[in-house]
Amino acid sequence: KLYKKAEQDFPDNPELLYNQAVLSLTLGKQQAANIYIEKYKSIRRENSWPEARITANIAGIYSEGDIPDKALEYYQTALSLDPRNPVRMNNLAEFLIDKDRDFNKGLELADKALEMDPENYSYLNTKGWGLYKQGKYREALEILEKSWELKPVYDHEIFLHLEEARKTIADNARN
């Protein structure tokens, strides 16, 4: 109901379309999601967004909508459209790590992104979380702490990753 009201007040708002597509996917309404996604793409193209960025955002819709195979396909396509872009590398890396798809490939991509921008807090978070998921807790904590220190604003995901790493290390020290 809120989305329908928002749609009247903010017609063709891309963020609203994005969220409506996610909701439709989570409710199993693929046809409705497709309509929102097509409208989203059209608006972003009208605003001269690069195709790789649009594709990465569509991947985000599928990821948040819990359609991981489709998300992976779109993240890979986005990277193939813009293979030297560290944001695209990190998008795919974060997905691979967070969804337990391929930690090694995720870390490889995170490292490539960090080579281009070694002080990027988001890329550091991705690498730290990947190391954590591989059981390299101390190394992960060090990188996650650096990510936390470099973030320009509060980032709840980094906070959660950092707390998880701290808790795991503390639990392991007690045992």
Side-chain angles (χ1 to χ4, degrees):
K1 288 180 184 179
L2 287 174
Y3 278 140
K4 292 297 178 193
K5 172 71 172 127
E7 198 172 337
Q8 291 172 353
D9 294 340
F10 306 101
D12 298 335
N13 178 286
E15 288 80 17
L16 180 60
L17 292 167
Y18 180 104
N19 288 319
Q20 287 173 303
V22 170
L23 177 61
S24 295
L25 289 173
T26 59
L27 295 174
K29 297 180 177 181
Q30 183 68 52
Q31 213 169 358
N34 290 344
I35 292 167
Y36 290 123
I37 289 168
E38 287 308 312
K39 197 169 185 180
Y40 176 86
K41 284 195 242 182
S42 175
I43 290 168
R44 290 305 193 192
R45 286 180 181 132
E46 287 172 16
N47 292 319
S48 301
W49 270 35
E51 199 61 33
R53 186 174 179 192
I54 295 168
T55 303
N57 282 14
I58 301 303
I61 289 171
Y62 282 110
S63 183
E64 290 179 45
D66 201 27
I67 313 285
D69 290 339
K70 200 79 163 161
L72 177 59
E73 177 186 324
Y74 275 90
Y75 280 126
Q76 290 171 328
T77 300
L79 182 58
S80 73
L81 291 170
D82 196 3
R84 300 191 50 74
N85 186 320
V87 173
R88 302 293 156 253
M89 291 174 197
N90 190 64
N91 290 153
L92 179 54
E94 184 176 35
F95 175 82
L96 292 171
I97 290 165
D98 200 51
K99 302 296 184 189
D100 299 330
R101 289 291 182 119
D102 187 341
F103 300 131
N104 293 330
K105 179 68 174 173
L107 284 167
E108 177 187 316
L109 288 166
D111 282 335
K112 284 183 182 179
L114 283 165
E115 284 175 21
M116 295 178 193
D117 190 355
E119 299 296 305
N120 185 297
Y121 75 97
S122 184
Y123 307 164
L124 287 165
N125 176 56
T126 300
K127 180 174 181 165
W129 191 236
L131 291 170
Y132 175 85
K133 286 200 159 193
Q134 284 188 324
K136 299 174 182 174
Y137 304 125
R138 293 213 181 274
E139 189 179 351
L141 179 61
E142 189 176 304
I143 292 171
L144 290 168
E145 285 175 338
K146 184 174 181 182
S147 172
W148 182 256
E149 290 167 13
L150 291 171
K151 72 185 175 2
V153 296
Y154 177 80
D155 186 310
H156 194 61
E157 180 180 275
I158 297 171
F159 172 79
L160 293 175
H161 291 168
L162 186 56
E163 288 302 301
E164 183 72 21
R166 286 177 176 156
K167 181 183 179 303
T168 300
I169 289 171
D171 288 350
N172 288 346
R174 281 192 289 269
N175 295 331

